[in-house]
Amino acid sequence: METESTNGTQVKLTAKDYASDQDVRWCPGCGDYSILAQVQRIMPSFNLTREKTVFVAGIGCSSRFPYYMNTYGFHGIHGRASSIASGLKMARPDLDVWVTSGDGDLLSIGGNHFIHTLRRNLDIVIMMFNNKIYGLTKGQYSPTSEHGKVTKSSPFGTLEEPFNPLTLALSSGGSFVARAMDRDAKHMQDTISKGHNHKGTAFIEIFQNCNIYNDGAHFLYTEKETKPDNTLFVENGKPLIFGEHKDKGIKLNGFRPEIINFNEDGNSINDVIVYDETSKELAMIVAQLSDFEGFPMPFGVLYKVNKPVYEEQMELQLEDSVKKLGKGSLEKLLFEGSTWEIK
Ligand SMILES: Cc1ncc(C[n+]2csc(CCOP(=O)(O)OP(=O)(O)O)c2C)c(N)n1
Ligand code: SF4
C-alpha cells in the first residue's frame, strides 16, 4: 500500500485511485483492459506519488492508455512515445516515466526511436502491447504479423518476415527485456513490477488479444489446454522446463537448443539449462526459440543487467563541463566559430 503526501497529509492509495474518470473506449473483450487493470493494481506498491508519474503514448488503441490512468499523461504523435519519454526523463529525472505503445506504433513508424532509446538506457519502462495487427486503423498488418498473414493491407499474404521484438530489443542494447501476456494477470503484474524496479530502460512485450481484427493470435499460449506445452516461463536460476507434467526441458547442444523429455531414456533435469538472466548469449538463444518449429514461446524476464543510465551520465557531464568551462552563453555559442552571411 502506498502513501501520497497531499497538502501535508498522508493518504493511502489503491488501484482505484489510479483509474481516471474517462470512459474506457476499447472494444468489449479487448486484451488492453487486462493490462490496464494489472498496471493500476501494482501502481500503489511502488510508493510513488501520482503527480510524479507520467504515462506517455503514441497513437493506436494501446496508446489511449494514458487517458485511463489518474496520473499525468501525454498522448503524442504516432511512433514518438519513446522520444517524448526520453526528453521528459532527461529534463525531469525525478519523474517516473512509462511508455505504452502498440507493435505498429513502436516497431514500425517508431522503430528508429525505439532502438535508440534502448541504446541510451534511460530509466523508463516501455510496455509494448503486441496484438500483431494495427487495431486502431482497422486491421492492416504490422511488423509483428506472421509471414503470409492475410489482412486488409496484405490481401494475398505478407511477404516480409516479422520482427522478433525480444531479439530486436536485446541487439539494440536493452538492459531489461521481458515478455508477459494479457491472460496471465499474476505473471504480468510480477513482470511489470520487475521492469519498473529495474534501473534503466525496461522493455516488456505483452501479448494482447485484439478480438476484433486479429482474434486468437496468441491463443496457443493463453488457453488452458495448449498453454503448458507451448510456453516456457523463464526464471533466473531455475531450469528451463515446461509441459503439462513439467517433464520437458531445453538443453544446449553447442549453440543449438534441443527439447528433451525426462520420460525418455537417458534424459534428466540435470541436462537442462539453468537460466541466467545476466547472460546475453542465453537470452538471445531463448528469445529465438519460438522462431523454430515445435519450440515453446518464452515468457518472463529474459535479460536484466545493470548499466549506466543516460540521464545520470548527462547530469555528471554537465556538472563537469560547467566546473571546467564556466556557465557558458547560448548566444555566444550560436554566433561563434565559422559563420557566414547569405546575400
Ligand atoms: C504519421 C501517421 N501515420 C499513420 C497514422 C495512422 N495510424 C494510427 S494508429 C496506427 C497503427 C496502430 O497500430 P498499433 O501500434 O499496433 O496499435 P493498436 O491500435 O493495435 O493498439 C496507424 C498506422 C497516424 N496516426 N499518423
Ligand atoms: S480494435 Fe482491437 S486493439 Fe483496438 S480496442 Fe478493439 S479489440 Fe482492442
Side-chain angles (χ1 to χ4, degrees):
M1 198 70 77
E2 173 200 0
T3 56
E4 180 176 72
S5 179
T6 318
N7 302 331
T9 51
Q10 298 287 308
V11 221
K12 283 185 174 170
L13 295 183
T14 66
K16 272 193 186 153
D17 295 308
Y18 280 95
S20 77
D21 59 0
Q22 299 295 300
D23 285 341
V24 182
R25 295 200 184 162
W26 288 316
C27 309
C30 174
D32 287 350
Y33 285 98
S34 162
I35 307 174
L36 178 66
Q38 304 330 318
V39 171
Q40 287 170 344
R41 226 160 262 166
I42 57 173
M43 288 308 285
S45 67
F46 298 137
N47 287 320
L48 302 166
T49 56
R50 286 176 300 184
E51 311 86 73
K52 290 227 166 171
T53 305
V54 190
F55 280 81
V56 182
I59 301 290
C61 298
S62 36
S63 293
R64 295 189 59 76
F65 203 91
Y67 290 116
Y68 309 137
M69 292 298 295
N70 189 10
T71 61
Y72 280 102
F74 198 116
H75 194 183
I77 51 173
H78 198 24
R80 302 299 181 263
S82 321
S83 308
I84 294 164
S86 298
L88 183 60
K89 190 69 187 175
M90 277 187 250
R92 288 287 308 271
D94 59 313
L95 298 181
D96 197 52
V97 179
W98 300 69
V99 169
T100 53
S101 187
D103 44 296
D105 189 60
L106 199 72
L107 302 184
S108 194
I109 193 171
N112 183 27
H113 304 262
F114 171 62
I115 59 176
H116 291 287
T117 304
L118 289 173
R119 184 170 70 85
R120 291 183 180 126
N121 198 35
L122 291 117
D123 188 16
I124 60 176
V125 182
I126 303 179
M127 293 186 287
M128 186 186 85
F129 305 178
N130 186 2
N131 52 22
K132 295 182 156 194
I133 202 87
Y134 286 177
L136 189 74
T137 48
K138 299 185 167 52
Q140 299 86 13
Y141 75 93
S142 88
T144 55
S145 300
E146 58 273 24
H147 180 235
K149 176 89 177 165
V150 174
T151 69
K152 285 177 185 164
S153 58
S154 56
F156 307 112
T158 57
L159 299 173
E160 302 107 306
E161 287 295 327
F163 270 136
N164 177 328
L166 300 188
T167 51
L168 178 68
L170 287 165
S171 50
S172 304
S175 61
F176 181 102
V177 177
R179 184 185 275 138
M181 61 170 95
D182 56 3
R183 296 282 292 275
D184 194 332
K186 182 81 201 54
H187 183 260
M188 195 205 309
Q189 286 181 19
D190 186 49
T191 309
I192 299 174
S193 296
K194 284 179 179 158
H196 179 265
N197 296 338
H198 171 70
K199 190 160 183 193
T201 305
F203 171 64
I204 306 158
E205 177 189 14
I206 306 174
F207 279 6
Q208 172 251 335
N209 193 42
C210 169
N211 54 319
I212 302 298
Y213 297 110
N214 205 15
D215 197 24
H218 307 298
F219 277 13
L220 201 58
Y221 318 116
T222 58
E223 302 310 285
K224 225 169 115 207
E225 304 74 41
T226 49
K227 184 176 172 182
D229 282 323
N230 291 292
T231 54
L232 174 73
F233 284 84
V234 171
E235 281 183 77
N236 192 38
K238 304 244 174 95
L240 294 183
I241 53 174
F242 68 106
E244 198 180 344
H245 306 291
K246 296 270 173 239
D247 54 359
K248 289 190 267 190
I250 307 287
K251 83 165 197 181
L252 276 182
N253 181 359
F255 292 115
R256 283 186 91 85
E258 283 178 2
I259 295 178
I260 55 170
N261 193 318
F262 308 146
N263 301 321
E264 284 165 13
D265 270 358
N267 290 327
S268 105
I269 195 167
N270 299 329
D271 301 321
V272 168
I273 306 166
V274 174
Y275 203 71
D276 173 5
E277 67 184 11
T278 64
S279 162
K280 194 156 180 178
E281 296 81 1
L282 212 46
M284 270 292 187
I285 290 172
V286 172
Q288 288 175 82
L289 281 183
S290 53
D291 294 347
F292 301 104
E293 185 81 29
F295 279 84
M297 180 67 72
F299 291 88
V301 180
L302 267 70
Y303 189 57
K304 182 182 177 317
V305 283
N306 291 324
K307 288 207 286 191
V309 296
Y310 188 93
E311 62 273 27
E312 285 181 4
Q313 293 186 85
M314 189 187 78
E315 194 56 40
L316 288 174
Q317 194 179 56
L318 273 175
E319 278 170 21
D320 196 42
S321 307
V322 170
K323 250 188 233 151
K324 281 189 194 135
L325 305 167
K327 260 206 134 190
S329 141
L330 186 60
E331 201 182 2
K332 207 172 134 218
L333 180 73
L334 290 175
F335 291 100
E336 73 185 2
S338 52
T339 58
W340 63 92
E341 211 181 315
I342 299 169
K343 289 192 175 162

